């Protein structure tokens, strides 16, 4: 790294780096950036899907999202040694030749259960639209295990579309789940879900763009005139509002509608003053890398990857606290292989397996006792608090409270207005 | 432009000096000098690819000559773009503007020259070509013949010094073509503009033009009035391309006088010395020619009754086809090959049937002779191919 | 003409001849409809049915949990329009500007390909289409690199003080282009340019070059030839190109999302957010309908105005 006075020319329009590509690929498909061609299709498709065919068309209405009697589900796990696992892209370890998932192969060798792993979840809302009709009608979606973000899990659990898990099948999971994740308000006691990965939302900045200064609070993001026009916030409502609430001394765990409005007003002020450049999905990574964004709210997993490519990228965990959302494993209603799915969940809570996964995908690992295993793979990663949070880090972690459907709708409406649409 | 009632403009003359056109290594037109007199109806006749259209386009300014100059009415226009030349073109397939109606097509040239009130002239012109009622139609709603007349009107309304016509009748059927030939000739006579007409149809050229230039391989083979070309072809190409010729390999036996004496096979042929376009000394090879309609047939039995002094060849009728006004015979002449004979059906001799031994005879004055160093079949089949 | 030879044929309805005359055409007349059937079914299933469904959705009220019922709540339309008219206006404005830019850039390009490119025609053509080989999203993201604050383009524009002018006009923001109206319009223009070039090229290429010669022969200078002959004859391409550019551009949301800021959001972004985030399906459906109706009205007017029906 050179120490010239003047900032090095901000990134020339070079080919996209691997991280950016990865981020982009994810952003193309990630629900956090709901800008995908597919989501456009979905806009049309949702109608049709929600319709559930021509019958609903003539009925002219959308049936209320009903409850599924999950108890009636018959488990075929013993007879059919397989499991259908739907997840997101770039969310599983991959062998060097790109054709295998070593952890899943190891699982098969050990248990004889074949995992049909499909990366067919691109967007929480899109996926919801896709399975909504089936789950509402108490039908099998063909999936035994799905990964969705916590607020969507909350919605689906409250709709009764998720099978409760059998604790006795989950010795490792119940023992090793990190304490901070054990009791979310939307699934007390983790009866229906286990964390796949934690997604801390923190502050990242580009030292070249800030002139070497650190940016370590949301207040600074919102008010520092030197950052004017080069600040990014996430288009993910809970992360952006949550961090703002924390900076205002409020706890997102029990924020009221007034608190929400206050945070929103604070953000609106920054938008009006042109302090905030954009609300972004995953595409913030390339902006930050180039220095178009000097500082922004960022997801920790991206930060780990960005830092490994670009030493100018720094991050800060705000003293006031940060938001951690989670992606969670769940067994949807009528899934045929619940027990197999539970064995797979439990398998990923074995520290050695969790370490392999964490080393590969760099998100916050929700499993206790992984440090030693991860150190065997990569010492540096094992010391990275974004992957394996230390006590101080854990103490500052917050999550958004479960919102009622009415709140969800109202908050999202207001947040959409904030972001211009 | 004047708005006065000028008399129909008389045409200008066209002078091409040393004009040529090459595309890469291909020479479309060899250096060429040509003068088209003012007010004449001039035809450039030749098979496709002979350079006639290229020559026309160089006059129009649509092609830039590789060498040489183009003069219109004594003014060098070689470097002028088309829109600055007092020349208009009737394009092959007409190139009418499909987005404009007939009226606007015809008015196009006037409007481009800034003439505001075009109504009277356009209507007059449409009347001239008998398309008055069609003024508001689009070109694609007209028949081929009507489109052709629009193309002529669109060009003529500008009173160009020279009107160029590029195969203007090529797309019409035979009957309509005949009609339009007369029509064009009438218009030309009426307006007095110089017409340069490109065609591959020798009959069309001969019917319409005062002067015909026969082109072949980028060169003018012969230039002259139609009858002159027909009667006195200077090359085998002209002899074959214009009508049909019987060409016979012969050797000069006697030269120097008013008459040449030739030997063809065993026969002796005579012709006026001035009708031999090749230098002829005793012993030289020439091609003796005679048009089929000049030749008469006599049954071998009647050979003795023929007048003295006629050229004669003995032969046998190989084929006879009756085509109404005449009968066309193919006669096999031993040692000389097949000759064609067109006999008027006036007094038909019943003995003249295939297989009959006969004597061909004709007036020596109708014989011509050409340089033997040419392809004897040049231009023979081109007419049909092109048509 | 003699009439003796041709007595009128008596009516013989019972003969095989007349039977055939009557039946064959019927069967023949049906053939086109059979051939149309797949297309019609396709339209019904993927266009008409969703449209009807969308119409019904826009007239519903309710929530995801309680279900949506048709209540003929037409007010959704007024509310949506009242709330989001700025985004509507913005969408139309951006799309219109992008269409004009596409025409300004695309016409010379199509002209060159059609008349001047010669044997390079196919190469240039492929270059025009080449961007389609990557995804829309990647192409748009690439513009974030091109227009990066520290990139050479913005550097040059700043050096020439162009951005001072554009910022004063409100189409850029300070010394940057990204996250401004200019960036969004650039993205739209770039992304839809091929939709302009291809129809333009097709209609230019169809023009008989002899028409240009004829115009020149009839005293039209090159510029006049273009104005009086080439351009009018390319009108079908101009109309098709502007429609193919304007319609998707007006409904686009990706350019605004990636290259714009909060003040550049278009109606597509609103529809998307109503559908996906707010789960207010009726409002989203109503917005879609308003957009569709507005575009349809504009297109109809445009085609009438341009008077190209008989040329198309």
């Amino acid at each position: 790294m050179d120490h010239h006075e003047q900032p090095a020319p901000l990134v020339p329009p070079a080919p996209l780096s691997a991280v950016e590509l990865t981020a982009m690929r994810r952003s193309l498909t990630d629900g956090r950036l709901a800008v995908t061609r597919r989501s456009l299709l979905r806009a049309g498709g949702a109608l049709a899907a929600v319709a559930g065919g021509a019958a609903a068309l003539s009925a002219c209405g959308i049936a209320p999202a009903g409850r599924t009697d999950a108890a009636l589900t018959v488990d075929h796990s013993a007879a059919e040694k397989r499991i259908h696992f739907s997840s997101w892209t770039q969310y599983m370890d991959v062998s060097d030749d790109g054709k295998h998932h070593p952890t899943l192969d190891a699982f098969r060798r050990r248990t004889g259960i074949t995992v049909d792993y499909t990366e067919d979840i691109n967007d929480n809302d899109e996926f919801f639209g896709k399975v909504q009709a089936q789950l509402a009608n108490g039908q099998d979606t063909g999936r035994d295990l799905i990964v969705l973000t916590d607020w969507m899990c909350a919605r689906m659990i409250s709709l009764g579309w998720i099978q409760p898990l059998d604790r006795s099948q989950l010795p490792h999971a119940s023992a090793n789940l990190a304490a901070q994740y054990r009791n979310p308000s939307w699934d007390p006691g983790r009866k229906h879900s286990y964390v796949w990965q934690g997604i801390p939302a923190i502050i990242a900045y580009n030292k070249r763009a800030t002139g070497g200064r650190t940016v370590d609070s949301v207040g600074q993001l919102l008010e520092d005139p030197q950052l004017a026009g080069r600040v990014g916030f996430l288009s993910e409502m809970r992360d952006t509002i949550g961090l703002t609430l924390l900076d205002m001394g409020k706890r997102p765990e029990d924020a009221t509608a007034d608190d929400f409005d206050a945070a929103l007003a604070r953000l609106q002020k920054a938008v009006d003053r042109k302090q905030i450049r954009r609300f972004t999905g995953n595409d913030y990574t390339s902006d930050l890398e180039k220095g178009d964004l000097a500082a922004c709210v960022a997801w920790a997993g991206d930060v780990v990857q960005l830092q490994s490519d670009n030493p100018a990228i720094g991050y800060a965990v705000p003293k006031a606290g940060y938001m951690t959302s989670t992606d969670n494993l769940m067994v949807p209603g009528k899934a045929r292989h619940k027990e197999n799915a539970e064995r797979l969940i439990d398998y990923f809570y074995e520290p050695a397996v969790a370490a392999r996964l964490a080393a590969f995908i760099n998100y916050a690992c929700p499993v206790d006792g992984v440090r030693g295993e991860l150190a065997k793979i990569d010492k540096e990663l094992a010391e990275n608090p974004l992957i394996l949070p230390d006590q101080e880090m854990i103490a500052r972690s917050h999550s958004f409270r479960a919102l009622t459907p009415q709140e969800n709708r109202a908050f999202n409406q207001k947040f959409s207005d904030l972001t211009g649409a | 432009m004047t708005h006065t009632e000028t008399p129909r403009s008389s045409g200008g003359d066209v002078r091409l000096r040393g004009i040529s056109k090459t595309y890469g290594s291909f020479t479309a037109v060899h250096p060429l000098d040509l003068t088209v007199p003012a007010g004449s109806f001039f035809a450039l006749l030749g098979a496709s690819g002979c350079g006639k259209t290229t020559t026309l386009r160089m006059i129009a300014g649509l092609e830039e000559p590789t060498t040489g100059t183009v003069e219109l009415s004594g003014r060098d226009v070689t470097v002028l773009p088309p829109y600055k030349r007092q020349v208009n073109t009737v394009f092959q397939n007409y190139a009418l503007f499909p987005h404009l109606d007939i009226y606007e097509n015809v008015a196009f040239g006037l409007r481009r020259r800034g003439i505001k009130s075009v109504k009277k002239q356009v209507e007059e012109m449409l009347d001239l070509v008998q398309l008055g009622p069609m003024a508001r139609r689009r070109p694609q709603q007209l028949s081929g013949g009507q489109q052709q007349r629009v193309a002529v009107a669109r060009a003529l309304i500008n009173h160009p010094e020279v009107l160029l016509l590029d195969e203007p009748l090529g797309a019409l059927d035979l009957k309509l073509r005949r009609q339009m030939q007369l029509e064009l000739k009438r218009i030309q006579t009426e307006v007095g503009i110089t017409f340069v007409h490109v065609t591959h149809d020798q009959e069309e050229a001969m019917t319409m033009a005062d002067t015909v230039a026969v082109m072949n391989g980028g060169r003018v083979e012969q230039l002259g009035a139609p009858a002159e070309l027909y009667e006195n072809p200077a090359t085998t190409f002209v002899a074959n391309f214009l009508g049909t010729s019987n060409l016979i390999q012969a050797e000069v036996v006697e030269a120097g006088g008013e008459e040449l004496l030739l030997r063809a096979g065993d026969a002796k042929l005579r012709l006026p010395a001035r009708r031999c376009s090749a230098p002829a000394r005793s012993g030289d090879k020439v091609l003796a020619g005679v048009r089929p309609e000049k030749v008469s047939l006599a049954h071998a039995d009647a050979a003795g009754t023929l007048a003295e002094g006629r050229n004669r060849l003995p032969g046998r009728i190989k084929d006879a086809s009756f085509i109404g006004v005449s009968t066309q015979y193919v006669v096999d002449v031993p040692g000389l090959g097949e000759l064609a004979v067109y006999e008027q059906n006036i007094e038909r001799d019943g003995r003249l049937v295939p297989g009959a031994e006969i004597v061909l005879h004709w007036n020596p004055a109708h014989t011509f002779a050409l340089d033997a160093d040419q392809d004897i079949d040049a231009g023979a089949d081109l007419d049909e191919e092109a048509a | 003409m003699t009439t003796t030879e041709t007595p009128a044929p008596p009516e013989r309805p019972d003969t095989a001849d007349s039977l055939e005359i009557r039946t064959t055409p019927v069967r023949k007349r049906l053939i086109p409809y059979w051939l149309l059937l797949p297309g019609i079914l396709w339209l019904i299933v993927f266009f008409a049915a969703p449209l009807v469904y969308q119409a019904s959705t826009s007239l519903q009220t309710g929530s995801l949990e309680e279900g949506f019922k048709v209540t003929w709540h037409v007010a959704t339309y007024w509310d949506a329009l009242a709330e989001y008219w700025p985004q509507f206006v913005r969408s139309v404005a951006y799309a219109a500007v992008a269409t004009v830019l596409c025409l300004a850039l695309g016409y010379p390009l199509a002209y060159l390909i059609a008349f001047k490119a010669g044997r390079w025609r196919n190469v240039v053509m492929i270059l025009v289409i080449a961007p389609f080989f990557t995804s829309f999203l990647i192409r748009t993201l690439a513009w974030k690199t091109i227009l990066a604050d520290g990139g050479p383009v913005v550097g040059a524009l700043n050096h020439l003080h162009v951005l001072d002018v554009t910022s004063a006009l409100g189409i850029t923001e300070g010394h940057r282009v990204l996250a401004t109206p200019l960036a969004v319009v650039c993205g739209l223009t770039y992304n839809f340019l091929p939709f302009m070039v291809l129809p333009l090229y097709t209609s230019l290429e169809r023009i008989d070059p002899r028409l240009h010669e004829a115009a020149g022969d009839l005293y039209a200078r090159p510029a006049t030839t273009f104005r009086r002959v080439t351009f009018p004859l390319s009108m079908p391409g101009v109309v098709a190109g502007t429609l193919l550019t304007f319609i998707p551009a007006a409904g686009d949301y990706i350019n605004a999302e990636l290259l714009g800021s909060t003040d550049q959001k278009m109606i597509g972004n609103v529809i998307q957010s109503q559908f996906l985030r707010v789960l207010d399906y009726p409002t989203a459906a109503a917005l879609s309908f308003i957009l569709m109706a507005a575009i349809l009205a504009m297109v109809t007017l445009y085609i009438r105005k341009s008077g190209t029906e008989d040329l198309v």
Side-chain angles (χ1 to χ4, degrees):
Chain A
M1 185 68 200
D2 53 15
H3 296 277
H4 295 307
E5 284 304 299
Q6 81 277 29
L10 298 178
V11 173
L16 301 165
S17 73
V19 181
E20 284 171 323
L21 276 176
T22 308
M24 220 173 260
R25 224 172 289 136
R26 188 162 163 93
S27 81
L28 312 190
T29 52
D30 194 314
R32 293 178 197 97
L33 167 63
V35 177
T36 65
R37 280 273 134 180
R38 295 186 69 144
S39 56
L40 182 63
L41 288 176
R42 182 191 172 274
L47 287 166
V50 169
L57 205 156
S58 57
C60 277
I62 303 173
R67 291 196 147 263
T68 311
D69 196 347
L72 287 177
T73 303
V74 182
D75 192 28
H76 297 77
S77 290
E80 300 169 2
K81 300 298 249 181
R82 55 174 57 250
I83 166 179
H84 297 275
F85 183 5
S86 281
S87 186
W88 304 67
T89 53
Q90 316 262 319
Y91 229 15
M92 183 64 77
D93 61 328
V94 180
S95 61
D96 289 339
D97 64 4
K99 289 179 185 157
H100 301 283
H101 302 293
T103 53
L104 294 179
D105 291 347
F107 177 73
R108 192 194 63 226
R109 282 196 296 275
R110 190 199 298 177
T111 61
I113 298 169
T114 305
V115 181
D116 292 333
Y117 183 72
T118 321
E119 295 178 342
D120 67 343
I121 303 181
N122 301 303
D123 179 305
N124 283 299
D125 290 297
E126 180 197 333
F127 186 75
F128 181 76
K130 191 148 73 180
V131 298
Q132 184 181 22
Q134 288 166 310
L135 290 173
N137 292 326
Q139 290 164 353
D140 180 13
T141 62
R143 298 172 180 84
D144 300 311
L145 198 55
I146 56 177
V147 177
L148 293 171
T149 306
D150 42 24
W151 55 269
M152 180 55 81
C153 297
R155 184 195 294 172
M156 290 182 75
I157 291 170
S158 75
L159 289 168
W161 293 352
I162 301 301
Q163 297 195 43
L165 299 172
D166 182 353
R167 183 65 72 89
S168 67
Q169 296 288 337
L170 298 161
H172 292 97
S174 48
N176 294 342
L177 176 63
Q180 69 177 113
Y181 300 117
R182 287 202 172 221
N183 215 3
S185 57
W186 46 269
D187 187 21
R190 288 283 172 190
K191 288 198 178 66
H192 300 85
S193 67
Y194 269 86
V195 180
W196 175 248
Q197 297 294 302
I199 310 166
I202 53 171
I203 293 174
Y205 53 92
N206 185 327
K207 284 176 212 153
R208 282 183 312 194
T210 61
R213 291 170 349 119
T214 56
V215 179
D216 57 7
S217 75
V218 171
Q220 195 182 352
L221 285 177
L222 291 173
E223 272 119 35
D224 186 343
Q226 296 195 42
L227 300 177
R230 292 184 296 156
V231 171
F233 275 76
L234 292 170
S235 55
E236 186 67 23
M237 174 182 80
R238 286 167 179 78
D239 289 334
T240 290
I241 298 287
L243 279 164
T244 310
L245 283 169
L246 286 167
D247 194 68
M248 298 163 76
K250 306 283 187 192
R251 280 169 47 84
E253 284 84 351
D254 40 40
T256 64
D258 289 343
D259 295 336
F260 182 92
D261 288 347
L264 205 70
R266 197 171 170 212
L267 286 161
Q268 184 69 56
K269 235 192 271 171
V271 167
D272 294 343
R273 278 189 292 109
K274 312 281 187 194
Q275 173 81 3
I276 295 176
R277 183 183 177 113
R278 290 179 62 223
F279 290 89
T280 64
N282 268 72
D283 56 320
Y284 74 87
T285 54
S286 65
D287 293 14
L288 183 64
E289 168 109 70
K290 286 199 281 282
D292 288 354
L293 288 178
C296 63
V297 176
W299 284 304
D302 294 336
V303 174
V304 175
Q305 295 202 10
L306 279 170
Q307 274 193 315
S308 69
D309 273 21
N310 185 347
I313 303 297
Y315 73 88
V317 179
K319 289 222 161 45
Y322 66 95
M323 299 299 294
T324 303
S325 55
T326 51
D327 279 347
N328 300 270
L329 294 156
M330 300 189 298
V331 179
K334 296 290 175 187
R336 288 171 67 87
H337 312 103
K338 175 169 162 260
E339 197 182 319
N340 292 348
E342 287 164 342
R343 290 180 72 176
L344 187 65
I345 295 173
D346 200 52
Y347 170 72
F348 276 107
Y349 272 82
E350 292 175 16
V353 180
R356 283 208 60 153
L357 192 64
F360 200 86
I361 60 178
N362 296 161
Y363 281 86
C365 179
V367 182
D368 278 344
V370 167
R371 194 174 307 273
E373 295 288 344
L374 187 52
K376 286 186 209 162
I377 303 170
D378 186 331
K379 271 214 164 58
E380 221 172 293
L381 286 181
E383 297 305 318
N384 191 330
L386 297 183
I387 296 174
L388 295 180
D390 51 25
Q391 279 312 310
E392 196 202 337
M393 185 85 184
I394 292 169
R396 282 195 242 165
S397 170
H398 292 266
S399 57
F400 219 92
R401 75 173 165 89
L403 299 175
T404 66
Q406 292 76 17
E407 282 176 326
N408 189 51
R409 186 170 152 165
F411 286 10
N412 267 311
Q413 178 68 62
K414 289 177 183 173
F415 189 73
S416 288
D417 291 344
L418 172 73
T419 61
Chain B
M1 272 279 117
T2 57
H3 290 256
T4 50
E5 277 286 309
T6 46
R8 296 291 186 197
S9 64
S10 53
D13 64 350
V14 180
R15 265 174 222 277
L16 307 180
R17 291 185 210 273
I19 199 168
S20 74
K21 181 72 189 178
T22 56
Y23 301 97
S25 61
F26 171 72
T27 304
V29 177
H30 291 277
L32 162 70
D33 292 298
L34 199 64
T35 300
V36 179
S40 68
F41 198 126
F42 190 92
L44 282 170
L45 173 66
S48 53
C50 72
K52 58 190 191 298
T53 295
T54 307
T55 306
L56 189 85
R57 290 169 61 82
M58 288 192 286
I59 300 172
L62 300 170
E63 300 280 354
E64 207 179 322
T66 309
T67 63
T69 59
V70 179
E71 274 178 32
L72 289 175
S73 306
R75 203 159 70 99
D76 186 339
V77 298
T78 316
V79 296
L80 290 186
Y83 58 88
K84 289 191 175 160
R85 298 189 187 197
Q86 275 294 311
V87 167
N88 290 109
T89 309
V90 175
F91 287 85
Q92 194 171 9
N93 301 327
Y94 325 128
L96 300 179
F97 301 120
H99 61 298
L100 301 177
D101 60 22
I102 301 314
Y103 185 94
E104 286 302 323
N105 262 283
V106 173
F108 194 90
L110 296 181
R111 293 199 192 281
R112 296 294 82 72
R113 289 183 298 162
I115 296 166
K116 291 278 176 283
S117 51
V118 297
K119 192 164 185 287
K120 184 155 171 288
Q121 289 191 67
V122 172
E123 281 170 358
E124 267 175 26
M125 188 50 66
L126 285 175
D127 286 343
L128 179 72
V129 295
Q130 299 160 8
L131 283 174
M134 306 288 185
R136 289 302 166 194
R137 298 221 184 148
R138 290 282 170 92
Q140 52 273 31
Q141 295 170 303
L142 266 52
S143 72
Q146 290 169 328
Q147 291 186 31
Q148 203 276 333
R149 287 185 298 199
V150 175
V152 171
R154 184 177 73 170
L156 273 183
I157 197 169
N158 303 295
H159 304 309
E161 290 171 355
V162 179
L163 183 74
L164 306 174
L165 302 104
D166 185 5
E167 299 274 10
L169 309 177
L172 305 180
D173 63 46
L174 186 63
K175 196 171 161 210
L176 200 51
R177 213 185 312 170
R178 288 278 142 73
Q179 201 180 319
M180 289 307 300
Q181 284 170 9
L182 297 174
E183 186 89 338
L184 278 178
K185 185 73 192 164
R186 173 181 73 80
I187 291 171
Q188 199 265 338
T189 316
E190 203 168 310
V191 299
I193 291 173
T194 312
F195 274 37
V196 179
H197 181 124
V198 156
T199 180
H200 65 265
D201 182 340
Q202 44 107 0
E203 211 175 297
E204 186 174 302
M206 291 200 283
T207 322
M208 300 169 77
D210 312 324
T211 311
V212 176
V214 180
M215 290 191 72
N216 181 34
R219 292 188 170 84
V220 172
E221 292 257 338
Q222 195 177 357
L223 183 146
E228 162 72 13
L229 291 179
Y230 187 81
E231 297 296 349
N232 293 316
T235 64
T236 55
F237 180 85
V238 177
N240 290 322
F241 192 72
L242 285 186
T244 308
S245 290
N246 293 310
L247 291 176
I248 305 162
Q249 306 270 10
E251 188 186 318
V252 180
V253 176
E254 208 181 290
E258 290 274 292
E259 276 194 342
L260 287 180
L261 186 63
L262 310 178
R263 187 174 60 228
D266 297 331
K268 293 268 164 63
L269 299 176
R270 286 177 300 133
L271 73 154
R274 59 183 166 76
R275 297 206 67 197
C276 177
S277 63
R281 284 186 310 272
S282 204
D284 284 351
K285 300 272 190 219
V286 294
L287 293 172
V290 64
R291 296 286 185 181
E293 72 278 8
K294 314 281 196 205
V295 183
S296 301
L297 290 182
H299 194 265
D301 297 346
T305 65
L306 294 177
E308 280 301 312
R310 290 177 73 83
N311 285 334
R312 307 172 183 220
L313 289 172
R316 176 191 300 179
I317 296 178
K318 195 178 169 200
D319 190 29
S321 15
F322 176 79
I323 58 163
V325 292
S326 65
T327 303
Q328 303 194 350
Y329 296 93
V330 178
V331 177
D332 195 20
V333 179
L336 297 178
E338 291 174 357
L339 300 187
V341 178
Y342 302 163
E343 274 291 74
Q344 287 283 311
N345 290 325
I346 302 168
E347 288 157 353
R348 296 174 65 198
D349 185 338
R351 296 172 296 176
L352 299 180
V353 293
E357 294 291 340
I358 49 95
V359 172
L360 302 172
H361 60 100
W362 67 90
N363 185 341
H366 292 144
T367 318
F368 57 90
L370 306 170
D371 193 333
D373 283 347
Q374 310 178 64
D375 176 7
I376 194 169
D377 291 323
D381 297 321
L382 287 174
D383 193 19
E384 262 103 307
E385 269 174 37
Chain C
M1 182 84 204
T2 58
T3 50
T4 49
E5 296 276 338
T6 52
E11 280 187 39
R12 290 178 300 176
D14 51 339
T15 62
D17 269 7
S18 59
L19 266 181
E20 204 167 78
I21 287 164
R22 245 189 280 155
T23 54
T24 316
V26 173
R27 230 182 294 139
K28 272 195 178 158
R29 248 182 291 134
L30 280 179
I31 288 174
Y33 295 100
W34 284 110
L35 293 174
L36 275 175
L37 199 62
I40 290 171
L41 281 179
W42 176 274
L43 276 180
I44 289 173
V45 173
F46 293 105
F47 182 72
L51 212 59
V52 170
Y53 190 77
Q54 200 182 338
S56 120
T57 303
S58 70
L59 297 170
Q60 295 170 1
T61 48
S63 70
L64 185 67
E65 293 72 26
E66 294 146 15
F68 290 89
K69 283 206 176 58
V70 175
T71 54
W72 301 99
H73 191 258
V74 186
T76 305
Y77 280 84
W78 309 128
D79 295 346
L81 205 52
E83 176 82 23
Y84 296 111
W85 67 266
Q87 282 91 340
F88 266 115
V89 172
R90 195 180 288 148
S91 297
V92 170
Y94 285 4
V97 174
T99 304
V100 170
L101 287 176
C102 277
L103 187 62
L105 292 172
Y107 203 103
L109 190 57
Y111 190 92
L112 284 178
I113 299 172
F115 297 124
K116 309 283 179 196
R119 61 206 178 88
W120 297 103
R121 183 186 277 199
N122 288 337
V123 176
V124 184
M125 209 59 195
I126 286 169
L127 287 180
V128 169
I129 305 171
F132 278 110
F133 292 120
T134 65
S135 90
F136 192 93
L137 216 70
I138 296 279
R139 274 183 278 150
T140 310
L141 284 167
W143 273 80
K144 294 182 71 159
T145 303
I146 295 170
L147 297 177
D149 294 5
V153 173
V154 171
L157 291 176
N158 269 319
H159 187 73
L160 299 169
H161 299 288
V162 173
L163 293 186
D164 294 342
V165 178
T166 52
S167 295
L169 292 171
I171 56 178
T172 56
E173 185 72 49
H175 291 291
R176 66 164 203 252
V177 174
L178 280 181
T180 68
L182 182 63
V184 178
V185 170
C186 280
L188 289 170
T189 305
Y190 164 75
N191 274 311
F192 294 107
L193 186 59
F195 292 106
M196 181 65 86
V197 174
L198 292 180
L200 278 178
Y201 165 75
T202 311
S203 69
L204 282 171
E205 190 255 358
R206 277 197 335 214
I207 298 177
D208 187 342
R210 280 174 313 181
L211 294 177
H212 295 150
E213 295 184 345
D217 189 71
L218 293 165
Y219 313 107
R221 290 158 180 281
T224 316
T225 299
F226 176 79
R227 210 172 66 242
R228 295 287 173 182
V229 178
T230 317
F231 190 75
L233 284 173
S234 67
M235 270 314 277
V238 173
V239 172
T242 46
L243 292 183
L244 285 176
T245 307
F246 180 80
I247 294 173
D252 184 76
Y253 64 96
I254 290 183
N255 286 282
E257 180 74 44
L258 295 179
L259 302 175
S261 178
T262 50
D263 288 339
Q264 282 85 51
K265 290 286 163 67
M266 294 166 69
I267 198 64
N269 302 88
V270 176
I271 294 173
Q272 186 214 19
S273 122
Q274 289 296 316
F275 253 120
L276 296 183
R277 284 178 184 285
V278 186
L279 301 178
D280 185 348
Y281 301 140
T283 298
L287 286 170
S288 307
F289 249 94
I290 296 171
L291 178 65
M292 208 153 66
I295 288 180
L296 202 65
M298 283 185 277
V299 165
T300 311
L301 200 70
Y302 174 59
I303 292 182
R304 286 260 173 84
K305 276 261 178 197
S306 61
T308 49
E309 295 103 307
D310 55 354
L311 265 180
V312 178

